[in-house]
Amino acid sequence: MKNLLFFAALTALLAFGLSARAAPKAADGRDAQDFVFMGEKGPVLIRFHVRIDGKPLVDVWEDFMGKLFAYLDLDGDGVLSKSEAARVPPIPVLFSNGGGFAAQQPNLVESIDKDRDGKITRQELADWYRRNGAASFQFPANGPRQNQVTLTSFAGQAQPLSPDALNEKLFKLLDADKDGKLSREELARAPAVLAKMDLDDDETVSIQEMSGNAPSSVESNVVFAINQQMQPARSDPFVMVVPGQGGKQLARDLLAHYAPKGKRSAVRKLTRQALGMEEAAFARLDADEDGTLDTEELARFAQREPDLEFRVRLGKNAGVELVSGKDRPSAKGVRPSSSGTLLWELDSTQIELGSGDTAGEPQIAARLRQQYLAQFRAADADNNGYLDKNEADRNPLYRNAFKMMDRDGDGKLFEKEVAAYLDKMKELQEAAVKSCASLAVKDQGRGLFDMVDGNNDGRLGVRELRQMVKLVDQLDRDGDGRISAGEIPHKYRVDVRRGPTNGNQSTSRVVAVRRMAVRGPDLPERTAGPLWFRKMDRNHDGDVSRREFLGTDAEFRRIDADGDGLISVEEADRADKLLRKEKEQKP
């Protein structure tokens, strides 16, 4: 009986352990951040479970806020007074590797002290940072306008073609029968057809050459013009769900995205078909059971179990994996890639999902320490060893930083206080950029060129051109043995990164005409393969062609085991090992 009880307990314990490992949620959701992906046939609710070095993201963030609050709380009473709050570091200093100290807003203390009791708590300080874009998880908001820098002239050369324009050109070159589709036979002729675009005769075709520009490896002075203008911001396919903000904006986004074209301004409700939702999920939102979701019901779209859940590890052992929703239709296209990312194919969209650490080293001390200390003596007009407020106001560097650096509030800023402040800001900046996460979304368009460019060097070598025929197997969704433009997936690269977003920062530049030296693109360095192979691979495409090979025809054929006219890294390694072995066996 004891044995039976023991095994029963052991079985229960093992079952609990397995379920605990499988469950991605923290007990209170402290590692969770939700997004809605505006898919082609309907929205998908996604949850990222983000941990930094094994700790839930919110815990790491609150550890940082504790350090910052303790630094500001000079008297240690657990709240910030008005004078203490005046030293709150500007967001660009902590999160954007910035070192400038712009004047704080006049009503800073009032905007932090929401309950107007004259005392600022740690929670109020954290809420203020969050409201102003500095939160544990950051995502650039879709503002009404954004900067756009346009290259209007570049020594008479055309700008590189966009993915869509490259597709159009590839179809024009390869579509021999002009039916608007690419067949296997047409794609098989790609190496011969596109060889005509190889303007520098290096056996590769680059985006630059496809754009009609002859590559150049010689530096030359050229004149170009930069035209900056403000353009309406494009709505990203990912919408962040912000806890506590309701869902009114999300409802508006859903209506704008999924309402029938031409009727978006008039439509106030969406059907299940328009949203592409499963019946059970739609029914839970359809409170009045009228078969549609109005604005109020759409606002609750994210108040349910997510369709897909991903576990994201940042810091040590960074990685991303699908942990929940594997049995749902939207998860059928999720698979790991050879580079450690996840590939998610949903209808005609392909998303590469990765994780990483882009929290760079803080620059405040490196860039400004010497400048501040050098300016200190220049600003000390009476040479008494410290700066008073009047002296600081006359110096652009110290004008806005005086109160923050004068920690004891005696109205005198000594050089050692400046050094101590910069040291502390460096420490806090390191903690700030490593305590948050952000989502970076890169729209890569619908590019055939990019799908074939396996090493992402902006060029197609002979082997890559030969792979184009395989695109039919990957993209032919209607089974007619050909590829149409509509079957090419829209690609996005999405990274959950450790560090803040740069999307909330804006800069201005003057329209200018400049002269500078430019040269052709640097070829990627090759480290794989024997030394003779790397030296012969003159175009750095990872293969040695017969033109590049310096030996005889017989030697080339002996090394080119598969007879495809190219010596690969693997073939070169095998030949090199065989040659060494033959030399060792000789007396």
Side-chain angles (χ1 to χ4, degrees), residues 277-288 293 297 300 303-305 307 328:
M277 293 184 66
E278 297 176 6
E279 290 187 23
F282 186 88
R284 284 192 288 270
L285 294 175
D286 186 14
D288 56 10
L293 300 184
E297 290 167 329
R300 296 193 292 271
Q303 298 175 16
R304 60 187 179 89
E305 287 298 306
D307 299 308
R328 303 186 71 89

Side-chain angles (χ1 to χ4, degrees), residues 307-379:
D307 299 308
L308 297 177
E309 296 186 77
F310 296 92
R311 180 184 291 117
V312 181
R313 301 183 305 275
L314 301 177
K316 297 178 182 177
N317 302 317
V320 57
E321 59 186 320
L322 178 66
V323 292
S324 180
K326 297 179 182 180
D327 57 340
R328 303 186 71 89
S330 54
K332 290 181 179 179
V334 179
R335 68 183 190 275
S337 73
S338 57
S339 60
T341 59
L342 285 182
L343 292 180
W344 178 24
E345 293 184 359
L346 183 67
D347 302 320
S348 62
T349 303
Q350 186 181 84
I351 299 170
E352 184 175 8
L353 181 61
S355 64
D357 191 342
T358 58
E361 289 298 321
Q363 302 295 314
I364 180 172
R367 292 188 304 180
L368 295 180
R369 170 179 281 275
Q370 292 182 351
Q371 188 177 3
Y372 268 98
L373 295 180
Q375 284 284 318
F376 184 88
R377 294 179 178 84

Side-chain angles (χ1 to χ4, degrees), residues 107-240:
N107 60 341
L108 171 66
V109 177
E110 289 76 10
S111 64
I112 301 176
D113 184 17
K114 298 300 288 184
D115 60 8
R116 302 292 190 270
D117 65 351
K119 299 176 182 180
I120 295 173
T121 65
R122 174 174 157 176
Q123 187 59 52
E124 286 176 321
L125 180 66
D127 289 343
W128 178 81
Y129 272 108
R130 177 181 52 78
R131 290 196 303 273
N132 288 276
S136 58
F137 201 110
Q138 301 179 22
F139 186 60
N142 291 327
R145 304 180 72 82
Q146 65 181 4
N147 287 328
Q148 183 180 59
V149 179
T150 305
L151 187 66
T152 57
S153 175
F154 188 80
Q157 294 194 9
Q159 297 183 48
L161 295 176
S162 67
D164 290 334
L166 271 175
N167 285 348
E168 185 177 346
K169 189 156 191 175
L170 286 170
F171 268 78
K172 184 177 181 180
L173 291 169
L174 299 176
D175 184 15
D177 58 10
K178 306 303 177 186
D179 66 347
K181 296 186 177 184
L182 299 180
S183 65
R184 293 183 189 274
E185 293 74 17
E186 289 169 333
L187 289 169
R189 291 194 290 269
V193 174
L194 296 183
K196 300 174 184 177
M197 307 298 296
D198 181 13
L199 300 179
D200 60 359
D201 196 30
D202 70 343
E203 298 183 286
T204 69
V205 180
S206 67
I207 294 178
Q208 193 175 5
E209 290 169 322
M210 290 290 294
S211 305
N213 298 323
S216 173
S217 59
V218 181
E219 289 194 4
S220 59
N221 287 329
V222 299
V223 176
F224 67 93
I226 296 177
N227 176 30
Q228 175 171 321
Q229 53 188 324
M230 301 297 286
Q231 294 289 346
R234 177 185 56 79
S235 178
D236 284 321
F238 285 85
V239 177
M240 184 173 177

Side-chain angles (χ1 to χ4, degrees), residues 4 11 75 155 235 253 276 279 282 310 368 434 439 586:
L4 289 174
T11 301
D75 57 14
S235 178
D253 291 336
E279 290 187 23
F282 186 88
F310 296 92
L368 295 180
K434 292 180 179 180
L439 192 75
K586 286 184 179 180

